[in-house]
Amino acid sequence: MQGFTTIDLIILVVYLAAVLFAGLYFSKKEMKGKEFFKGDGTIPWWVTSVSIFATLLSPISFLSLAGNSYAGTWIMWFAQLGMIVAIPITIKFFLPIYSKLDIDTAYHYLEIRFGSKGLRVLGAVMFIIYQVGRMSIIMYLPSMVLASLTGINVNILIIAMGVIAIIYSYTGGLKSVLWTDFIQGSVLLVGVTFALFYLAGGINGGFGAIFQSMAGGKFLASDQPIFNPNILKDSVFLLIVGAGLNTCSSYVSSQDIVQRFTTTTDMKKLNKMMLTNGALSIFIATVFYLIGTGLYVFYSQNALPPAAQQDQIFASYIAYQLPVGITGLLLAAIYAASQSTLSTGLNSVATSWTLDIQERLSRKKMSFALQTRIAQYVSLGVGVVAILVSMVLANGEIKSAYEWFNGFMGLVLGVLGGTFALGTFTKVANAKGAYVAFFVAAVTMVCIKYMTPAGSVSIWSYSIISIAISLVVGIPVSMITRKLDGDTSKPVKDATIYHN
C-alpha cells in the first residue's frame, strides 16, 4: 500500500497544467457575442458529444456509482438505461424544434413559444440558483476525498480547480470549454476502463469471479422487482422510465446541456451527438458498476484499505492498489470530472444571465462586445463565489444541507421540464397556463418530497408526476383563460411538434 507518492503528485500537477494550456490554446481566437456563447462553428460533433457526457457525469457520480454496487446491487444501474427513453424522445420531438428556431438558450424557447419574457427569466433564475449551488458542492466533495488521500490541503485543491476552470471559461467561451471537456472526458474513459481491467487482474478468478458474484445476488436482490404495479414504488421498470424522463428534462430544459445543441442546427450532427453521448454514458456506468462489484470481490479476498467508506472505496483502491503514476492519473480523472462540470456550469450561467436576464431587462439592444464582456465578468464573479462557498463547506458539516438543497432545486428544475413539455406537445397552452402549471407542480412536488413518509413515493417517480401535473393543470387553465380573454392566437411556427 504505497498511497499517493511524489510521482503521482507530479503527474496530477502536469495534468492540470496541460488542461489549462489546452483551454488557453483553444481560446487564442477572440470570441465575441454568438461565438462566445455558441462556439465558432468549427467544433466537431464528437467533441460536443463527449462534452455532454463529461457534463452529465459529475464527480459525485464518479465516486458513488462504484460505491453503490460495492455496497449493494445493480438496481441503480438501470437508471442509466433511462437513456433509451430520453434520447429517442429528445431526438424525435425537441431537437428538430430547437434546430428550426435556432434558439440562443434553453429559456429562449419559452419566450418564443409562450410569448413571455417573464417565463424566460423565471427559467433562467431557477437554473442559475441551482447551478451555483451545484458548482460549489462539485468542487467541495471530490476535493475533500483527494485531500484525505493525498495529504494536500483541501483549500488548495478547491482554489486550483476553480481558478483553472475560470481562466479558460473566461477567455475562450464555449469553444474552450468544449475542447477541454473533451480532453477531460477522454482521460476519464481511458483511466476508468484501465482500472477495471487492472482490478480484474488482481482478483482470484478475474472477471469470472465478478460475474459469479452478480449471479449470486449482487445484480438484483429478491426484493427488487422488475415491475411493480404501484408506479410510486421502486422497480427496474420505474427506474428506466422515471430516470429516462428525468434525463430528458435535463436534455431539453437545462442550459448546460441545451447550450451544446446550439452549436449546430444540422440535425444529422445533433442525432450523432445524442446517440454517441448515450452510448458513452451507458458504457461508463457499466464499467463503474463492474468496478464496484469487482471491489466487493477483491476486498473479500484482501484487507480493506484506510478510508474505506462506501463512496470512497474506489478512490481508496486507486490510491493504495494501482501502480505509482497510474494512481496520479486516475485521481486526476476524478478531478477532471469536477473541472468539466465546473467549467460548463460557469459558461452556462454566464450565458443564461447575459442573454436570458440582462438582455431581457435592458432597455437598449446590447452589442456583441458588451454581451461578451458581461458574460466574462459573470463567469469570473460566479467562479469566485463558488470557490468561497466551497471552502466554507469544506470547514463545516453540510451533508444534510446538501441533500436538502439538491433535492429541492432538483424538484423545481424537473418541474421546468414539465413546462417545456406543455409548450412542445400542445398548441392550446399559453403563458398563464404555463405559470399556473409550473407553480402547482412545484408546490405539489415539494409537498411529496418533504411532507410524505420517507420511502412512500420513489424519487424516480418525481419526473413522471411533475410532467403529468404540468399537462393536467396547464391545458385546462390555458383553455379557460383563452376563452375569457378571447384569445385565438396560435403558437409561433415550428414551436410545437405540430406543423402550423
Side-chain angles (χ1 to χ4, degrees), residues 102-164:
D102 194 19
I103 59 173
D104 292 330
T105 70
Y107 316 110
H108 184 194
Y109 169 76
L110 295 180
E111 181 179 9
I112 293 173
R113 170 60 183 86
F114 294 107
S116 170
K117 289 184 180 180
L119 271 177
R120 180 173 183 175
V121 172
L122 174 64
V125 167
M126 300 312 297
F127 168 76
I128 289 170
I129 294 172
Y130 169 75
Q131 193 68 290
V132 170
R134 183 171 182 252
M135 284 189 291
S136 301
I137 291 156
I138 275 167
M139 279 194 285
Y140 155 74
L141 289 177
S143 295
M144 288 293 287
V145 172
L146 286 174
S148 67
L149 293 174
T150 64
I152 301 172
N153 184 282
V154 66
N155 291 329
I156 293 175
L157 289 169
I158 289 172
I159 291 170
M161 183 188 300
V163 168
I164 291 171

Side-chain angles (χ1 to χ4, degrees), residues 147-276:
S148 67
L149 293 174
T150 64
I152 301 172
N153 184 282
V154 66
N155 291 329
I156 293 175
L157 289 169
I158 289 172
I159 291 170
M161 183 188 300
V163 168
I164 291 171
I166 288 170
I167 289 173
Y168 63 75
S169 298
Y170 179 94
T171 55
L174 185 61
K175 180 179 180 179
S176 185
V177 169
L178 290 178
W179 273 105
T180 47
D181 274 5
F182 174 76
I183 296 169
Q184 315 256 42
S186 299
V187 169
L188 193 151
L189 282 165
V190 173
V192 173
T193 303
F194 170 83
L196 171 61
F197 282 93
Y198 187 87
L199 170 62
I203 294 173
N204 293 331
F207 279 106
I210 296 176
F211 294 132
Q212 188 175 2
S213 175
M214 291 169 62
K218 285 294 286 181
F219 187 64
L220 278 179
S222 57
D223 61 344
Q224 294 172 331
I226 302 295
F227 178 77
N228 190 330
N230 182 352
I231 64 165
L232 301 182
K233 298 292 185 181
D234 279 343
S235 67
V236 169
F237 173 81
L238 178 61
L239 258 75
I240 293 174
V241 175
L245 291 178
N246 200 41
T247 302
C248 190
S249 291
S250 294
Y251 279 149
V252 304
S253 67
S254 189
Q255 170 60 15
D256 51 350
I257 305 300
V258 175
Q259 191 170 4
R260 272 88 181 125
F261 301 149
T262 66
T263 59
T264 180
T265 57
D266 186 324
M267 277 306 302
K268 288 184 178 179
K269 289 182 180 178
L270 287 171
N271 291 346
K272 288 179 183 177
M273 201 184 294
M274 289 295 295
L275 293 171
T276 304

Side-chain angles (χ1 to χ4, degrees), residues 3-4 62-64 66-67 142 145-146 148-150 291 295 299 305-322 327 330-331 334:
F4 191 76
F62 192 113
L63 296 169
S64 65
V145 172
L146 286 174
S148 67
L149 293 174
T150 64
I291 286 173
L295 290 171
Y299 287 121
Q309 298 99 322
Q310 176 179 327
D311 283 349
Q312 292 191 23
I313 191 68
F314 184 32
S316 296
Y317 174 83
I318 291 171
Y320 294 104
Q321 295 294 334
L322 291 181
T327 293
L330 262 293
L331 290 179
I334 296 179

Side-chain angles (χ1 to χ4, degrees), residues 335-354:
Y335 219 63
S338 308
Q339 275 202 316
S340 61
T341 308
L342 176 60
S343 61
T344 294
L346 290 174
N347 189 264
S348 60
V349 166
T351 300
S352 193
W353 175 271
T354 305

Side-chain angles (χ1 to χ4, degrees), residues 54 61 74 187 239 258 270 280 303 335 345 395-397 430 467 499:
S61 302
W74 279 50
V187 169
L239 258 75
V258 175
L270 287 171
L280 288 175
Y335 219 63
N395 294 285
E397 179 53 55
N430 61 8
I467 291 172
H499 297 292

Side-chain angles (χ1 to χ4, degrees), residues 346-364:
L346 290 174
N347 189 264
S348 60
V349 166
T351 300
S352 193
W353 175 271
T354 305
L355 300 183
D356 291 322
I357 298 176
Q358 190 90 27
E359 192 170 33
R360 293 309 97 193
L361 301 179
S362 176
R363 293 181 179 179
K364 295 181 180 180

